[in-house]
Amino acid sequence: MQVGSSSSVESVRQQVQAVWEDVLRYFELRREGQSGLSTGVDWLDAQGEPLPSYTPITGELLGTVNQPTPEQVEEVVSRAKEAFNVWRMIPAPKRGQLVREIADEVRRHKEQLARLVTLEMGKIIEEARGEVQEWIDMCDFAVGLSRQLYGLTMASEREHHRLYEQWHPLGVVAVITAFNFPVAVWSWNAMIALVCGDTVVWKPSSVTPFCALAVQQIVARVLRRWSLPEGVVNVVAGTSGAIGSVLVDSKDVPLVSFTGSISAGRKVAERVAARLGRTILELGGNNAAIVTPSANLDLALRAVVFAAVGTAGQRCTTLRRLILHESIYDTFVERLIKVYRQLRIGNPLEEGVHVGPLVGGEAVQTFLTAQEQLRAEGGRLLYGGEVLEGYPSRLYVRPAIGYAPAVCPITCEETFAPLLYVFRYREIEEAIALNNGVPQGLSSAIFSTDLREVELFLSAKGSDCGIANVNTGTSGAEIGGAFGGEKDTGGGREAGSDAWKAYMRRQTVTINWGESLPLAQGIRFDV
Ligand code: NAD
């Protein structure tokens, strides 16, 4: 069934059921009719349609979550708004303490949460552990930040005047997330928003509701120890139409942080802009890596494989376009195919597997259609691309490598699957033009030991992406930096650096501590 493994389809099914039951018990969640609505500690009676959740590992139904109705989501927003009045007045370092306690809890539940991520989303267990670790890292970062929400003091041009800026909490932050990081993306937003004094309403992907509910259970353990009003940390699990649109259109939500596809992000951005709200947009990528003749090819090869097939090609930072210098093209492609042949594809719960299933049938179809389109546009498949037989679901595919003669329509699209296009280049300027020649602008990388090439890639006329890496792959960003991309990727920044500023409102303050009233720009206005 699985390359390098003797486990049968039936034993995988049994393992999935056993892990699922264990996880449900552990997080005290119900298999059927679990509420998808909480404003803190308890589950509320969600009265909307049940939402099914499936595991890509076997394609079987895991359970159902009751969605809140749109009216209930409106109530949650009101409660979050009221809770904001309390939460914003708690000193930021004390808010940090709550986040520190959350970190302690997550550390305790890391393995069980990782197993749930693998079950519901399908990523390999090692990457699922990494995802939960990202939440822990975000907590640690946010705790430090809670003592560093600094404003600047500026020199006033007027005598006896003080000019400075301060940062205040913003309000209710809606966090709408994608399926592929069912825990981490929320944490990039929520941990920062909480120390900034905001309350958070989370609409997770409708594909991964149980992950969000387990997260809420972990947070609830901490909230129980604090006497806060309900409404500081909220979850409303459900679909985009029933739930997402309420958050997008609510005047009581000053910031919508949206992670997802470009097409959905565009709609969300337009609607939030129409009510003059704020968005943070983290949308699709179409990331490229350039491998130059001076590169350490062993290192580049390892980085390329992880970035291209990690999370079965379902990361926003997945490497989708490999730009190889003509002098190393043949050798590199040959070596790449050799490594692809050794990939272990199979049950993502099993240690040592490299590639798990795709998230659903639609993703498989998109993968196959993109290959057809590549052929129709003059490219060809060099390796892989088929749906694998004899696996526990029809969601296991062989990662593919395709040759593209030039930038063509299909290589300008993000196909959310393990399909890597290779290109050939002669001059470094040509490689950079290929890197930049797509609508998206998330992540990019160059493999080179030539200082001039590296600096060109990093210069103002180099990569136009939000992330530019040297001698490391396009995926796997650390939380310390601000994460996000340009162009159709949406321009938002999350996680580290000064990304926190988007979650607060800036106030510029002028204090006249003198006895006269000098006006700025030397204006005289005597009455
Ligand atoms: P998706 O766009 O289908 O859904 C994302 C979320 O948006 C879901 O919660 C969905 O229910 C909600 N949604 C969709 N339309 C909506 C609307 N009109 N109003 C309100 N909510 C709406 O994306 P997906 O398939 O879950 O995730 C894959 C995509 O996400 C890829 O394009 C990937 O690149 C992108 N992504 C980007 C980042 C990043 O940081 N840039 C990170 C992860 C994923």
Side-chain angles (χ1 to χ4, degrees), residues 197-393:
D198 301 326
T199 54
V200 179
V201 182
W202 181 16
K203 194 211 87 61
S205 162
S206 48
V207 178
T208 53
F210 278 102
C211 287
L213 305 185
V215 163
Q216 187 75 10
Q217 291 289 62
I218 292 173
V219 175
R221 283 167 182 261
V222 177
L223 292 175
R224 256 182 219 116
R225 302 195 287 264
W226 287 58
S227 45
L228 290 169
E230 290 280 303
V232 176
V233 185
N234 310 271
V235 63
V236 286
T239 58
S240 56
I243 316 275
S245 48
V246 176
L247 299 175
V248 167
D249 292 334
S250 173
K251 266 281 195 192
D252 290 330
V253 176
L255 172 64
V256 176
S257 177
F258 179 89
T259 301
S261 56
I262 292 169
S263 58
R266 207 183 290 281
K267 285 184 203 141
V268 167
E270 282 170 12
R271 282 164 60 175
V272 178
R275 62 172 174 85
L276 300 181
R278 242 190 237 182
T279 45
I280 296 174
L281 299 172
E282 298 285 346
L283 312 180
N286 188 358
N287 317 294
I290 300 169
V291 184
T292 70
S294 72
N296 175 334
L297 294 187
D298 293 338
L299 179 151
L301 190 64
R302 283 181 32 223
V304 162
V305 175
F306 175 68
V309 306
T311 325
Q314 299 169 116
R315 283 190 186 216
C316 52
T317 51
T318 290
L319 178 65
R320 310 209 177 275
R321 299 175 300 128
L322 178 60
I323 304 167
L324 300 171
H325 189 263
E326 58 179 7
S327 65
I328 53 139
Y329 181 93
D330 290 333
T331 330
F332 201 88
V333 170
E334 196 181 308
R335 289 185 64 187
L336 189 61
I337 291 176
K338 212 166 152 193
V339 179
Y340 265 54
R341 279 192 213 286
Q342 291 161 14
L343 290 171
R344 294 184 64 201
I345 305 165
N347 174 8
L349 285 166
E350 195 177 307
E351 304 285 344
V353 163
H354 302 114
V355 184
L358 291 182
V359 71
E362 211 177 303
V364 173
Q365 197 46 54
T366 310
F367 177 64
L368 298 174
T369 309
Q371 294 170 39
E372 276 169 33
Q373 200 176 325
L374 177 70
R375 281 189 209 97
E377 289 171 7
R380 64 179 190 280
L381 215 60
L382 303 176
Y383 179 80
E386 66 270 29
V387 180
L388 296 169
E389 298 293 337
Y391 280 66
S393 73

Side-chain angles (χ1 to χ4, degrees), residues 5-36:
S5 159
S6 58
S7 52
S8 69
V9 168
E10 191 43 42
S11 72
V12 174
R13 288 217 171 95
Q14 284 169 5
Q15 186 193 12
V16 164
Q17 280 313 317
V19 173
W20 178 226
E21 271 160 33
D22 192 37
V23 165
L24 281 175
R25 227 182 355 257
Y26 187 86
F27 288 112
E28 297 175 43
L29 295 170
R30 293 165 55 177
R31 185 192 285 264
E32 298 291 333
Q34 166 62 47
S35 167

